[in-house]
C-alpha cells in the first residue's frame, strides 16, 4: 500500500510540474498544451504583457470583442468590450490549465440587460475602492510629513477600519464561493463568535455585513494549530485586546488515536511517514483569555512514543511564541496524567512538583502550574469507588467545626466580613486549630442505598442521582457529569431526609464529606461574574483579595495535610491528594 501511495504521489507531482507556469516565457512555451476557442488569437505586444484576443469581423470591419491580459506577475485580467469596456474578472494564475479555463469562460460570456445595472454598481464600487486606496496612501505619506497626525490616526485604528470597509465593498461584487476574507475580518468574526455564537448567526444571516459562514469560521479556528505559522492570527488578536484581555492561560491535553493507516475514500489516512513509530497520540494546546470569552487551538502535534523530555521544549517554545505575539501566559493547565506530572517537574529548577515556577520568557515573573479541577473531582470519585471494602468507605479527619463556622457566618450574617477592615483578614492569621484528628467515615454505599430507595418513587429525595452515577462503567467514569451528580447538594439533602426516616448511622459524616467536596468544586468552577447572585450561593462568587473563601481553602489545605500526618489507610490516592 505504501509503494502504491508513493507512486501515485510521484505521478501527481510530475503532472503538476508539467502544467505549472512561472513566467510569460513559460506560458509561450506551453501554449501547445491548451486549445484556444474559435476566433481567439495570441499576441505579445512587449516583454511585459501577453494578450489573448477574440476578433469579430462585420462588414469588412474587424473589432476586438473581448480580450485577456497577462502581466509579468502572472496576474490575469479579462475584459468584454461592447460600447464601454467591462472588466469580467481578475485573478493570479500558476497553471496553464487555469488560463485555458479562463479563456473558455470569457468566450462563453454573454451580456444581458441585467448586466448593465450590475456593471454600473460594479464601476461605482470600484470608484469607491480606488478612493479608499488613495486615502490609505495619503495616510502613509503623513508618517514623513506630519508625524503627530499620523500617530493620532494610528491610535484611532483608522487603517484597520478602512481595510474592513474595503473588504465589505469587495464582497458585494464577488461571488460567495470565490470570496477570500481578510485576516482583520476573520479576527473580528472570531471575537463575535467567541462572545455569542447566536449573535454571530444573526449578523451573518441578516446580510447587513458579509461574514463567512459559521462552518467555515470554525474550520479557520480549528486549523490554526495545524498551520506552521500559527502566530499570525494570535498577533492580530493581540492588537484588538487591551492590557487586561491579553492575559491568557495555556491548556494542554492528549487525544489518543489509532496507530495505523487505513484506506478510505480513495485516500490513505493515518501514519505512514514513520512506520517504525506510528502516531498514537495528538498533543493539543489551546489558549484561553482570562477575562473575555476567547479560546483557540494553537498547536496539534501528533506523537508516537512521547515522553516528558520530548514535550518540554515544545511547550516551552510555544509559550515563548505566544508571548512574542503580545499575549501574556500566566498559567499552564492540564490533567494529572503521569506524563504531565513529569513535564511539570521539568519546569522546576529543583526537579520537584511546584505550584509556581520561574517564567521561561521573563525571570521576573512566575508561571503558575495548574491541574484541571474537573479531572481531580473525577479522580476523587474514582478513588472512592476503587476502595477495596464492602461499603467503599473513606476514612478522613473531621472537618465539621470548620464547615459549621463558615456556614454560620454565611447564614446568620452575610455582611460579617464586610464589616471587618480588609487589612485584618489574612490567611496568615489562620491556624490549623479547626482541623481535628477525629476519625470520620464516608460510605459510598449510603448513596447507592438512597438511589435504591428513590428508584420507584415519583417524588425523589435526590433527583440528580442515576444508575450510571452510582455504578459507572469504565468508560462512564471519564464523564465528569456523573461525578458531579454524586457531589451535588441535592444528594446531601436527600441523604439527610433519608436518615430521618431510616435512622442510618454515619450518614452525617458522608454528608459532611459531600458538602466539603461540593464547596471546593464551587470555588474552583466560578466561570462568570454574577454566578453567586444567579444561584444565591456565596461560594460561587469570584474570589477577591482577603476573601473569606481563602480562609476556607487554607483550612482545606490543613485538612488534606492531616490525611498524610495521621496515615489513614482508606483515603484519596496520594498523587491526587497532593495535586488537590
Amino acid at each position: 500500500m505504501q509503494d502504491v501511495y508513493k507512486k501515485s504521489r510521484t505521478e501527481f507531482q510530475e503532472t503538476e510540474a508539467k502544467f505549472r507556469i512561472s513566467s510569460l516565457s513559460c506560458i509561450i512555451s506551453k501554449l501547445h498544451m491548451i486549445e484556444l476557442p474559435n476566433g481567439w488569437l495570441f499576441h505579445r505586444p512587449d516583454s511585459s504583457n501577453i494578450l489573448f484576443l477574440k476578433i469579430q469581423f462585420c462588414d469588412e470591419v474587424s473589432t476586438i470583442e473581448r480580450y485577456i491580459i497577462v502581466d509579468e506577475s502572472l496576474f490575469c485580467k479579462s475584459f468584454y468590450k461592447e460600447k464601454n469596456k467591462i472588466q469580467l474578472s481578475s485573478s493570479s494564475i500558476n497553471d496553464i490549465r487555469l488560463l485555458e479555463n479562463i479563456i473558455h469562460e470569457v468566450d462563453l460570456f454573454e451580456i444581458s440587460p441585467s448586466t448593465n445595472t450590475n456593471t454600473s454598481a460594479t464601476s461605482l464600487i470600484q470608484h469607491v475602492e480606488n478612493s479608499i486606496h488613495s486615502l490609505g496612501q495619503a495616510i502613509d505619506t503623513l508618517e514623513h510629513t506630519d508625524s503627530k497626525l499620523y500617530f493620532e490616526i494610528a491610535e484611532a485604528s483608522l487603517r484597520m477600519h478602512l481595510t474592513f470597509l474595503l473588504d465589505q465593498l469587495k464582497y458585494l461584487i464577488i461571488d460567495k464561493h470565490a470570496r477570500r476574507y481578510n485576516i482583520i475580518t476573520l479576527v473580528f468574526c472570531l471575537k463575535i463568535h467567541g462572545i455569542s455564537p447566536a449573535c454571530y448567526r444573526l449578523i451573518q444571516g441578516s446580510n447587513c455585513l458579509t461574514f463567512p459562514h459559521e462552518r467555515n469560521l470554525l474550520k479557520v479556528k480549528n486549523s490554526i494549530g495545524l498551520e506552521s505559522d500559527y502566530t499570525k492570527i494570535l498577533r492580530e488578536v493581540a492588537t484588538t485586546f487591551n492590557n487586561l484581555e491579553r492575559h491568557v492561560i495555556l491548556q494542554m491535553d492528549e487525544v489518543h488515536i489509532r496507530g495505523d493507516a487505513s484506506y478510505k475514500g480513495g485516500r490513505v489516512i493515518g501514519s505512514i511517514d514513520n512506520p517504525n513509530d506510528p502516531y498514537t497520540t495528538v498533543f493539543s494546546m489551546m489558549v484561553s483569555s482570562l477575562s473575555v470569552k476567547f479560546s483557540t487551538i494553537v498547536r496539534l502535534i501528533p506523537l508516537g512514543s512521547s515522553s516528558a523530555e520530548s514535550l518540554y521544549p515544545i511547550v516551552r517554545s510555544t509559550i515563548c511564541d505566544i508571548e512574542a505575539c503580545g499575549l501574556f501566559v500566566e498559567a499552564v493547565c492540564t490533567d494529572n496524567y503521569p506524563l504531565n506530572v513529569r513535564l511539570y517537574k521539568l519546569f522546576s529548577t529543583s526537579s520537584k512538583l511546584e505550584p509556581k515556577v520561574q517564567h521561561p520568557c521573563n525571570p521576573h515573573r512566575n508561571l503558575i502550574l495548574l491541574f484541571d479541577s474537573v479531572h481531580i473531582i473525577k479522580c476523587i470519585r474514582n478513588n472512592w469507588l476503587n476502595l477495596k471494602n464492602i461499603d467503599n468507605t473513606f476514612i478522613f479527619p473531621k472537618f465539621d467545626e470548620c464547615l459549621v463556622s463558615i456556614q454560620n457566618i454565611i447564614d446568620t450574617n452575610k455582611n460579617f466580613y464586610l464589616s471587618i477592615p480588609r487589612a485584618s483578614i489574612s490567611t496568615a492569621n489562620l491556624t490549623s486549630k479547626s482541623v481535628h484528628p477525629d476519625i470520620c467515615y464516608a460510605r459510598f454505599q449510603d448513596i447507592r442505598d438512597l438511589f435504591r430507595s428513590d428508584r420507584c418513587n415519583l417524588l425523589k429525595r435526590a433527583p440528580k442521582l442515576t444508575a450510571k452515577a452510582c455504578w459507572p462503567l469504565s468508560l462512564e467514569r471519564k464523564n465528569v457529569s456523573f461525578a458531579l451528580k454524586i457531589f451535588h447538594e441535592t444528594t446531601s439533602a436527600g441523604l439527610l431526609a433519608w436518615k430521618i426516616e431510616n435512622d442510618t448511622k454515619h450518614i452525617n459524616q458522608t454528608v459532611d464529606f459531600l458538602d466539603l467536596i461540593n464547596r471546593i468544586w464551587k470555588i474552583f468552577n466560578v466561570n462568570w461574574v454574577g454566578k453567586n447572585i444567579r444561584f444565591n450561593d456565596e461560594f460561587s462568587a469570584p474570589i477577591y483579595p482577603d476573601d473569606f473563601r481563602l480562609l476556607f481553602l487554607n483550612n482545606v489545605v490543613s485538612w488534606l495535610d492531616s490525611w498524610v500526618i495521621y496515615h489513614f489507610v482508606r483515603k484519596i490516592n496520594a498523587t491526587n491528594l497532593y495535586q488537590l
Side-chain angles (χ1 to χ4, degrees), residues 389-444:
N389 53 69
I390 298 176
D391 295 334
N392 298 96
T393 304
F394 262 142
I395 300 178
F396 64 96
K398 191 175 181 181
F399 193 76
D400 56 348
E401 181 177 335
C402 177
L403 248 95
V404 170
S405 62
I406 295 293
Q407 186 62 40
N408 287 340
I409 290 171
I410 296 174
D411 293 340
T412 59
N413 188 2
K414 293 185 178 180
N415 295 324
F416 176 75
Y417 277 92
L418 298 179
S419 62
I420 302 177
R422 289 194 176 271
S424 63
I425 305 176
S426 175
T427 55
N429 299 329
L430 182 70
T431 63
S432 59
K433 293 181 180 179
S434 58
V435 180
H436 300 272
D438 298 343
I439 296 177
C440 299
Y441 301 90
R443 299 171 67 249
F444 198 85

Side-chain angles (χ1 to χ4, degrees), residues 38-57:
N38 293 333
W40 282 82
L41 301 175
F42 164 75
H43 177 59
R44 187 173 187 179
D46 51 41
S47 59
S48 60
N49 290 288
I50 289 180
L51 294 178
F52 293 89
L53 313 170
K54 184 175 183 179
I55 301 177
Q56 183 180 13
F57 297 94

Side-chain angles (χ1 to χ4, degrees), residues 341-410:
V341 176
R342 294 193 297 270
L343 176 63
Y344 275 0
K345 290 180 180 179
L346 295 177
F347 277 94
S348 173
T349 55
S350 59
S351 298
K352 295 181 180 179
L353 191 60
E354 297 180 358
K356 61 181 180 180
V357 295
Q358 180 178 309
H359 202 285
C361 301
N362 189 346
H364 302 291
R365 290 167 52 198
N366 290 326
L367 180 66
I368 302 174
L369 305 179
L370 301 174
F371 289 104
D372 187 10
S373 58
V374 175
H375 195 79
I376 293 177
I377 292 296
K378 289 191 295 184
C379 289
I380 294 175
R381 191 277 315 272
N382 293 339
N383 291 160
W384 202 357
L385 291 173
N386 292 335
L387 292 175
K388 303 300 181 181
N389 53 69
I390 298 176
D391 295 334
N392 298 96
T393 304
F394 262 142
I395 300 178
F396 64 96
K398 191 175 181 181
F399 193 76
D400 56 348
E401 181 177 335
C402 177
L403 248 95
V404 170
S405 62
I406 295 293
Q407 186 62 40
N408 287 340
I409 290 171
I410 296 174

Side-chain angles (χ1 to χ4, degrees), residues 99 102 134 158 205 220 315 342 350 387 420 434 457 477 491 497:
L99 177 61
I102 294 175
S134 301
L158 182 59
V220 173
V315 176
R342 294 193 297 270
S350 59
L387 292 175
I420 302 177
S434 58
N457 296 339
R477 289 191 179 196
T491 304

Side-chain angles (χ1 to χ4, degrees), residues 49-78:
N49 290 288
I50 289 180
L51 294 178
F52 293 89
L53 313 170
K54 184 175 183 179
I55 301 177
Q56 183 180 13
F57 297 94
C58 182
D59 297 332
E60 299 181 354
V61 178
S62 60
T63 59
I64 298 176
E65 182 184 16
R66 56 198 79 193
Y67 60 97
I68 297 173
I69 303 176
V70 183
D71 60 15
E72 285 182 321
S73 61
L74 300 184
F75 193 78
C76 175
K77 294 182 180 180
S78 57

Side-chain angles (χ1 to χ4, degrees), residues 156-217:
S157 303
L158 182 59
R159 289 303 302 270
M160 186 181 299
H161 298 161
L162 292 176
T163 303
F164 180 82
L165 179 60
L166 185 60
D167 288 339
Q168 291 297 313
L169 290 174
K170 287 180 179 179
Y171 301 149
L172 294 176
I173 57 176
I174 299 178
D175 183 74
K176 65 178 182 179
H177 300 292
R179 291 170 185 162
R180 297 297 180 266
Y181 294 92
N182 188 278
I183 187 66
I184 295 177
T185 303
L186 289 176
V187 171
F188 181 65
C189 293
L190 286 171
K191 290 183 67 176
I192 295 178
H193 189 273
I195 296 173
S196 174
C199 178
Y200 181 82
R201 288 191 289 269
L202 178 63
I203 297 175
Q204 197 268 338
S206 66
N207 294 327
C208 295
L209 293 174
T210 306
F211 283 170
H213 194 275
E214 187 178 15
R215 290 193 301 268
N216 297 331
L217 188 67

Side-chain angles (χ1 to χ4, degrees), residues 130-150:
N130 294 332
S131 300
I132 294 177
H133 275 303
S134 301
L135 179 59
Q137 294 174 358
I139 293 175
D140 291 337
T141 58
L142 289 176
E143 184 177 5
H144 306 287
T145 59
D146 192 344
S147 58
K148 182 178 179 180
L149 180 59
Y150 175 79

